[in-house]
Structures are given as C-alpha cells and as structure tokens.
Amino acid sequence: AQTVTQSQPEMSVQEAETVTLSCTYDTSESDYYLFWYKQPPSRQMILVIRQEAYKQQNATENRFSVNFQKAAKSFSLKISDSQLGDAAMYFCAYRRDQGGSEKLVFGKGMKLTVNP
Amino acid sequence: DVKVTQSSRYLVKRTGEKVFLECVQDMDHENMFWYRQDPGLGLRLIYFSYDVKMKEKGDIPEGYSVSREKKERFSLILESASTNQTSMYLCASSFPRYLDTQYFGPGTRLTVL
C-alpha cells in the first residue's frame, strides 16, 4: 500500500523568508500524482500545487514550488517570501494513475507558523 | 467557484444516537468523498462514491455507512455513535479526471458524549 510521510509535525518561518516542507512517499507504481493541500485555521482545505510523476519539470505556482525527486520518492514544497496568510496545516497527498481511482493518500500534515 | 457545503459546522451527539452528516456540491462532480481528520493522523478516507447509488469503502469504514441518492448529495451515517467517533469530518468532491483536484467542504466537528 502507498504511504505518505511528513516527518516534521511543525515548522515556523519569519515573514518574507523561505521555508521548505518535506514529504516522502512509498509506492511501487511508476505513474502517479502528488499534491500539496493547505488548510488555514478554521477554513476549508484548498489545493496549493500538483505534480505529475512523469514530468521531470518541477511544478510552480507563484510563490510555491516543488522539488520532485522521483528516484528518492521525495516531494518537498518551497514557499518563498512567506506571508502571514501562509500559516496553515499543510498536507502532502499521493494518487495512483489508474483509471477510475481518484483516492488520495494523505500524510499526517505539518503545521506552519509564520512569525511577523 | 466550486462550492461544497456541509450541513453543520459543529455537532454534539450522545453515545448510541444515529447521526447524519450531509454534504452537497454544486459543480456536478461525479466523485464524492468522506474523510475523517484527527490530530497526528492526517486525513483518512471513510467512504467514497463515484456515481449515484455507487459507493466504495475507504480505509476506515467500520461504524459508518453512506448514502448517495442524488448526484449532488452524499451523506455519512453513524448508525450508533460512539465516543471514538468524535472527530472532524471533511467532505470532498471532484471530477473523475486524472489530475482533477478534490474540493473540500468546511468540515463538521462532531463530538460524541
């Protein structure tokens, strides 16, 4: 079974600085998708960024980028120029590339604090 | 904007009660999901549905059942609530396309006394 590991339960960063959130996963599949979701306090979970495993280029979305290392099964999220609104729980998630299977496997999450 | 709504933000029930959690989405999504979120455990899939009247067990279905009579609505049922079902429950929906994101509701924090 696939597993997703977020080894750091909490991190903090100063406003305007850069922080990297780590995620590793275990799978025997060659094709899959990886996601980072953000859950702000008392607000809905939203997608931050996603990556297809067959793509070598790392995904970027404005201040958010990933470092996808397929051989190492690592998928870290880098947040540049951190803002107070980035404070949230962050979840890494994995999904197989198999027709009809849209189930996500989530990591345990990591709480990010942004200090002014 | 996609909207996923859940019937209650907070719910308090007694042990043994039958509990219904309702989820409605307005984007004509085929897939709908129920997760349970607990500190230190992340999100765990309870059940999901890929079509009306279709359902599949997730990782922790014991003690729960679901109902999907209409495409936009997915209900989670606790037949006889127990204290270990005190948790945050999240509903999500998505299209059945390989890269489509899941859209989440605001969650229902259920306390079983």
Side-chain angles (χ1 to χ4, degrees):
Chain A
Q2 293 82 15
T3 58
V4 177
T5 302
Q6 294 178 252
S7 56
Q8 300 153 300
E10 290 191 47
M11 292 185 75
S12 63
V13 63
Q14 290 297 125
E15 199 175 3
E17 307 246 311
T18 295
V19 64
T20 299
L21 286 57
S22 64
C23 173
T24 58
Y25 57 93
D26 185 28
T27 183
S28 58
E29 307 281 340
S30 58
D31 292 325
Y32 48 87
Y33 305 93
L34 297 164
F35 305 82
W36 277 100
Y37 279 86
K38 168 186 177 182
Q39 186 181 39
S42 302
R43 293 179 60 190
Q44 280 164 260
M45 179 123 41
I46 57 172
L47 179 71
V48 175
I49 198 166
R50 57 193 172 196
Q51 174 85 39
E52 296 119 299
Y54 66 85
K55 286 189 175 179
Q56 292 188 344
Q57 187 173 6
N58 289 324
T60 62
E61 288 285 345
N62 302 314
R63 298 183 296 107
F64 298 87
S65 61
V66 299
N67 183 5
F68 173 49
Q69 301 288 330
K70 191 172 184 180
K73 296 181 183 174
S74 169
F75 183 60
S76 60
L77 174 70
K78 186 171 83 171
I79 306 175
S80 304
D81 186 25
S82 297
Q83 300 176 359
L84 295 177
D86 295 332
M89 286 290 295
Y90 286 82
F91 293 91
C92 180
Y94 164 100
R95 205 187 92 190
R96 292 186 311 175
D97 177 17
Q98 214 165 355
S101 174
E102 286 79 34
K103 290 189 288 185
L104 289 173
V105 177
F106 284 88
K108 293 182 179 181
M110 193 226 66
K111 181 179 179 181
L112 179 66
T113 301
V114 181
N115 300 311
Chain B
D1 273 357
V2 174
K3 196 155 188 185
V4 181
T5 57
Q6 295 183 229
S7 49
S8 307
R9 287 301 301 270
Y10 300 94
L11 205 54
V12 179
K13 295 292 181 180
R14 298 231 172 251
T15 302
E17 281 192 76
K18 190 169 186 175
V19 181
F20 292 87
L21 303 182
E22 304 283 337
C23 175
V24 177
Q25 50 92 4
D26 66 356
M27 279 300 292
D28 204 34
H29 285 163
E30 283 83 355
N31 296 336
M32 295 189 75
F33 307 83
W34 274 107
Y35 294 94
R36 172 176 170 159
Q37 183 179 8
D38 299 290
L41 296 178
L43 276 74
R44 293 178 291 168
L45 182 65
I46 304 171
Y47 267 97
F48 74 100
S49 168
Y50 49 90
D51 203 350
V52 175
K53 297 190 186 293
M54 306 300 284
K55 62 186 179 185
E56 277 197 33
K57 293 180 180 179
D59 301 316
I60 52 164
E62 297 78 18
Y64 304 93
S65 61
V66 290
S67 172
R68 193 165 180 203
E69 297 295 320
K70 293 185 178 181
K71 191 175 186 179
E72 68 271 18
R73 188 180 297 269
F74 192 36
S75 303
L76 180 69
I77 304 156
L78 288 67
E79 293 289 341
S80 177
S82 63
T83 55
N84 63 13
Q85 292 178 309
T86 292
S87 187
M88 171 71 86
Y89 291 87
L90 297 178
C91 175
S93 69
S94 74
F95 286 118
R97 291 193 295 255
Y98 69 99
L99 200 55
D100 254 27
T101 185
Q102 290 186 16
Y103 294 88
F104 284 81
T108 295
R109 185 165 294 282
L110 173 68
T111 302
V112 182
L113 301 175

